[in-house]
Amino acid sequence: MKENVLIQTKKRIKLDLSFLKKDIVFTISLILAAGSCLFQTPKIEYLNFPVLISLFNLMLAIKAFDELKVLDKFAISILNKCNNSKSVSAILILLCFFSSMIVTNDVALLTFVPLTLVISRKMNMPMMETIILQTIAANIGSSLTPMGNPQNLFIYSFYGLTPKPFFMTVLLLAVLGIISIYIFIHRLTKKELKVEIAPIQINDPKRTMVWGIILAVIIASIFDVIPYQAALIITLMTAAIINHKLLFKIDYFLLLTFICFFIFVGNISNTNAVHMIASANLKDSDSIYFTSILLSQFISNVPASILLAEFTSNWRPLLLGVNIGGLGTIIASMASVISYKLYIQSYPSQGKQYLLKFSLYNFLFLTLLTFIPYVVLKILHIF
């Protein structure tokens, strides 16, 4: 009897860690954060609360639109205007490229990747490559404006830049990026779409209008028009009043992934070894350019720009390097993690396949966009 009780007790306290296998990026971020804490004590200052809170607000709003079938309606309107899968993909990818210039790469992906997944389900059509190209498009498109991504905003304000030199520095990257994206879109499989889907009627236009206002409030908070704390309170109150179940349906593991990466980056950035290496290697434009690209692969481009800005006044190679450095590994740009997380929510068994294809595409773009701008800018004596 005693043996049976012991066996039952052991079964009860056994932890189910299967989710660690399903979510590879979260698992990696957790290991990195825990490992870095062995060398450095984490600080609350490492957590970027405006980013975390804005991400939470956006996920809540997007989930609300999903429940109200707004994304379905938008998806069907796109499908009914296109006669093949390639044109559908092209529209979705270009939407990410151009919208990211205004609403940031994170917001563009949070808005259009769920829409792509809805279309994928409606047409029973695999769209992994489309989502990967959407991610690349958002990361490249966002490089063209100061508000397109956090590293641009930081560099623009830190160095007190003006619009003309900023745009002249990143314009070549954006042009080469859109040409490369067009070539990859052209290579996508073309499947004829002859299905006419009946338009969806939104049953609750009042709630849709309310969440539209909430989304505008959230975007306003991202641009610092209103405090992000106020946007959080408004979003939470709206969800609690209209549909409190939304609070249990968003992906909290995505937020935990960001928290883990913030801890890892904060710990690593504050080690003496990193500061010594940065001081020793940032001698000229070439070293700044290639160091920023390389460092972004391991700690992501936002913290890389913040860290390297402390050691150089040469902003051009840094600006170009951290934007190009957003390509490559999945953690090079945190926006890429968002796409991955959204995709595996719909296709949990395809996580490894997605990461392999994502890495192949991203490193191709990284190689192309690293060396062509470098050669051109060297010839023009801009570096």
Side-chain angles (χ1 to χ4, degrees):
M1 285 293 290
K2 287 182 179 179
E3 288 181 1
N4 289 337
V5 171
L6 285 172
I7 290 169
Q8 287 179 354
T9 306
K10 285 181 180 179
K11 286 182 179 178
R12 285 175 187 170
I13 62 172
K14 186 179 179 181
L15 295 174
D16 183 10
L17 301 177
S18 59
F19 68 92
L20 294 175
K21 294 180 180 179
K22 293 179 181 178
D23 196 334
I24 297 172
V25 173
F26 169 70
T27 304
I28 292 171
S29 70
L30 184 62
I31 292 169
L32 290 174
S36 66
C37 289
L38 298 174
F39 305 97
Q40 191 83 15
T41 303
K43 299 176 183 177
I44 192 70
E45 291 82 10
Y46 295 163
L47 302 183
N48 191 325
F49 285 104
V51 170
L52 292 171
I53 289 172
S54 297
L55 184 59
F56 171 81
N57 290 341
L58 284 165
M59 287 195 296
L60 205 54
I62 296 299
K63 178 57 71 175
F65 285 127
D66 190 28
E67 298 256 314
L68 291 165
K69 303 298 182 184
V70 175
L71 294 179
D72 293 63
K73 183 178 177 63
F74 194 19
I76 289 171
S77 67
I78 290 175
L79 284 171
N80 284 338
K81 291 176 183 178
C82 298
N83 57 13
N84 65 75
S85 59
K86 188 183 289 187
S87 59
V88 172
S89 294
I91 290 171
L92 293 167
I93 293 164
L94 293 174
L95 279 171
C96 285
F97 182 86
F98 290 106
S99 66
S100 66
M101 299 177 189
I102 302 168
V103 298
T104 77
N105 50 357
D106 304 65
V107 177
L109 293 172
L110 274 168
T111 304
F112 295 112
V113 170
L115 176 63
T116 306
L117 291 168
V118 170
I119 291 173
S120 179
R121 290 193 295 270
K122 290 282 181 188
M123 300 305 300
N124 193 25
M125 185 170 64
M127 301 191 76
M128 180 189 291
E129 287 179 288
T130 300
I131 291 172
I132 290 170
L133 288 173
Q134 281 181 301
T135 307
I136 293 170
N139 284 327
I140 296 174
S142 65
S143 67
L144 192 58
T145 62
M147 66 280 194
N149 53 52
Q151 70 269 16
N152 280 5
L153 194 58
F154 168 76
I155 291 172
Y156 192 86
S157 59
F158 184 84
Y159 290 100
L161 304 182
T162 53
K164 185 177 178 180
F166 177 93
F167 288 121
M168 291 303 292
T169 303
V170 294
L171 182 62
L172 178 61
L173 169 61
V175 171
L176 285 172
I178 193 66
I179 292 170
S180 304
I181 288 165
Y182 173 79
I183 293 168
F184 273 78
I185 290 173
H186 190 68
R187 291 180 65 257
L188 291 174
T189 304
K190 187 175 182 180
K191 180 182 175 183
E192 296 299 320
L193 301 177
K194 296 181 180 179
V195 181
E196 189 79 18
I197 305 175
I200 287 180
Q201 298 298 322
I202 297 175
N203 296 325
D204 201 332
K206 288 183 179 179
R207 287 193 181 188
T208 303
M209 184 175 67
V210 169
W211 279 109
I213 295 169
I214 296 302
L215 182 61
V217 168
I218 294 167
I219 293 173
S221 72
I222 292 170
F223 283 102
D224 290 325
V225 177
I226 64 172
Y228 68 89
Q229 299 94 331
L232 173 64
I233 293 169
I234 294 168
T235 305
L236 282 174
M237 288 178 62
T238 303
I241 294 169
I242 294 179
N243 184 4
H244 69 278
K245 292 180 180 178
L246 291 173
L247 295 167
F248 302 98
K249 294 181 178 180
I250 63 175
D251 182 12
Y252 287 101
F253 276 107
L254 177 58
L255 293 173
L256 288 173
T257 302
F258 270 73
I259 290 170
C260 288
F261 277 127
F262 283 140
I263 293 170
F264 167 68
V265 168
N267 285 336
I268 294 299
S269 300
N270 282 278
T271 57
N272 292 328
V274 171
H275 281 262
M276 288 174 62
I277 293 168
S279 299
N281 288 288
L282 300 179
K283 301 294 186 183
D284 51 31
S285 295
D286 290 4
S287 60
I288 296 165
Y289 178 71
F290 288 107
T291 299
S292 60
I293 292 172
L294 182 63
L295 189 60
S296 296
Q297 303 308 303
F298 299 99
I299 68 170
S300 88
N301 52 7
V302 177
S305 62
I306 295 169
L307 176 63
L308 296 177
E310 295 181 17
F311 301 97
T312 181
S313 59
N314 195 352
W315 61 268
R316 279 190 173 88
L318 178 61
L319 174 65
L320 202 56
V322 292
N323 277 293
I324 294 168
L327 303 165
T329 65
I330 197 165
I331 64 168
S333 169
M334 293 304 290
S336 301
V337 178
I338 292 173
S339 295
Y340 169 77
K341 294 281 291 181
L342 292 170
Y343 186 82
I344 63 168
Q345 281 179 8
S346 295
Y347 303 99
S349 63
Q350 296 183 24
K352 290 181 182 178
Q353 184 183 349
Y354 180 95
L355 287 174
L356 287 170
K357 189 164 284 191
F358 173 90
S359 300
L360 175 62
Y361 275 56
N362 267 264
F363 277 104
L364 282 172
F365 272 87
L366 178 64
T367 303
L368 177 70
L369 297 181
T370 293
F371 292 104
I372 293 179
Y374 174 75
V375 171
V376 172
L377 293 174
K378 272 291 185 183
I379 293 170
L380 297 174
H381 301 290
I382 293 176
F383 266 14

